[in-house]
Amino acid sequence: MRRYGLSDGQWERIKDLLPGREGHVGGTAADNRLFIEAVLYRYRAGIPWRDLPARFGGWKNVHRRLRRWCEGGVIKRIFRHLAADHDNEYMMIDSTIVRAHQHSAGARKKGGLDQATGRSRGGLTTKIHAIVDAAGKAVALSLTPGQRADITEAEPLLDEVDPEVFIADKAYDADPLIEKLEERGITPVIPSKKNRRNPRKILFSLYKKRNIIERFFARLKQFRGIATRYDKLKSTFLAAVQFVSAIIGIN
């Protein structure tokens, strides 16, 4: 296996989900695996597109093809297909901030489109929100500007999953979220904030498992093109986060 390349097991799990596969409508692409490995290499190494090694072909072609897959929802479908095989026993939510490089700024905001970059104490930043299952597999992801509060993405992401138990830190202690969880029959394991008059009792043995999502973020940020955002467009960066999350979630 080449450096930062796919293992044979990972390739077997995704090859039949890709456009251009044998028997798929349209032409058959002989280089699907090479293209996937080119994208992984770029985000793992955190290099500019034009510095992509020559063995992957022309960098403009790789980038253009990635944009087509983003716009066509290909990567989103791959992520959702792999995320569907998850553990519903318990899930957890959290977010992590990544620094947005100066090269990620300047995208045109057509129709007021949010590119998920904002200013916080760390400068220009993007926040990655994630829900992972008990095995540490990402099952729901979203992006917001770095200064956006964690809880704003909790309900939209929850609409994509149905766990028996939902684990989160104090940042998610809000009555509307707790009520929604209880209405759906989901047990909240969320510590109460200090200013709550009637603190809830939680199972700390379950709450300790929240380190699973911290380990997920640590693995995600091993990809330098994720730990630092270089992509101007939110759609491209989100597709990269979804794709890398899907790949690292394959056993």
Side-chain angles (χ1 to χ4, degrees):
M1 184 177 72
R2 292 182 183 272
R3 183 166 172 81
Y4 306 151
L6 291 169
S7 68
D8 290 341
Q10 289 172 325
W11 174 242
E12 288 296 322
R13 287 290 303 278
I14 68 171
K15 68 177 185 179
D16 293 332
L17 305 174
L18 308 178
R21 62 187 180 273
E22 188 175 351
H24 188 254
V25 176
T28 300
D31 63 343
N32 264 349
R33 183 166 183 171
L34 185 66
F35 166 70
I36 294 296
E37 292 186 346
V39 174
L40 281 177
Y41 187 98
R42 189 266 174 167
Y43 284 98
R44 182 66 177 83
I47 57 174
W49 282 107
R50 66 179 62 251
D51 291 339
L52 203 63
R55 71 173 185 269
F56 294 118
W59 68 268
K60 287 186 178 179
N61 292 332
V62 176
H63 182 262
R64 189 181 300 116
R65 188 172 176 184
L66 176 63
R67 285 299 308 153
R68 286 203 308 267
W69 283 26
C70 291
E71 293 171 2
V74 174
I75 294 177
K76 185 177 181 179
R77 289 196 295 273
I78 293 171
F79 171 74
R80 288 191 169 178
H81 178 87
L82 295 175
D85 181 23
H86 57 250
D87 188 337
N88 272 336
E89 182 181 358
Y90 59 84
M91 294 182 185
M92 57 214 72
I93 189 172
D94 207 348
S95 70
T96 188
I97 288 180
V98 298
R99 179 71 62 87
H101 194 272
Q102 61 185 7
H103 292 167
S104 69
R108 293 182 180 180
K109 296 183 178 180
K110 297 180 180 179
L113 183 65
D114 171 29
Q115 296 298 347
T117 54
R119 293 201 175 273
S120 57
R121 291 182 180 180
L124 198 63
T125 55
T126 292
K127 186 174 284 189
I128 302 172
H129 303 260
I131 292 180
V132 305
D133 68 2
K137 177 189 292 186
V139 294
L141 294 163
S142 67
L143 302 178
T144 65
Q147 76 275 14
R148 189 77 57 82
D150 290 357
I151 198 168
T152 58
E153 291 298 292
E155 292 195 27
L157 290 178
L158 263 172
D159 289 339
E160 301 181 32
V161 296
D162 191 25
E164 297 173 16
V165 175
F166 193 66
I167 306 170
D169 62 23
K170 291 181 180 180
Y172 298 89
D173 178 28
D175 289 337
L177 177 60
I178 301 299
E179 290 168 4
K180 181 173 183 176
L181 291 169
E182 291 175 344
E183 286 173 4
R184 292 179 55 184
I186 301 171
T187 302
V189 179
I190 304 174
S192 300
K193 293 180 180 177
K194 291 182 179 180
N195 61 356
R196 184 173 282 277
R197 292 185 178 181
N198 299 306
R200 296 184 314 282
K201 293 182 179 179
I202 66 168
L203 292 173
F204 277 96
S205 58
L206 274 176
Y207 184 71
K208 288 179 181 179
K209 297 182 182 296
R210 205 178 65 81
N211 69 85
I212 293 172
I213 195 168
E214 301 295 346
R215 296 203 301 270
F216 163 75
F217 283 134
R219 292 183 68 194
L220 187 65
K221 287 185 173 182
Q222 288 177 2
F223 287 75
R224 299 180 68 184
I226 302 295
T228 300
R229 173 179 170 176
Y230 298 98
D231 298 304
K232 290 182 181 292
L233 300 179
K234 175 182 178 179
S235 58
T236 305
F237 189 59
L238 178 58
V241 174
Q242 289 173 331
F243 185 62
V244 170
S245 297
I247 293 300
I248 65 178
I250 297 175
N251 295 325

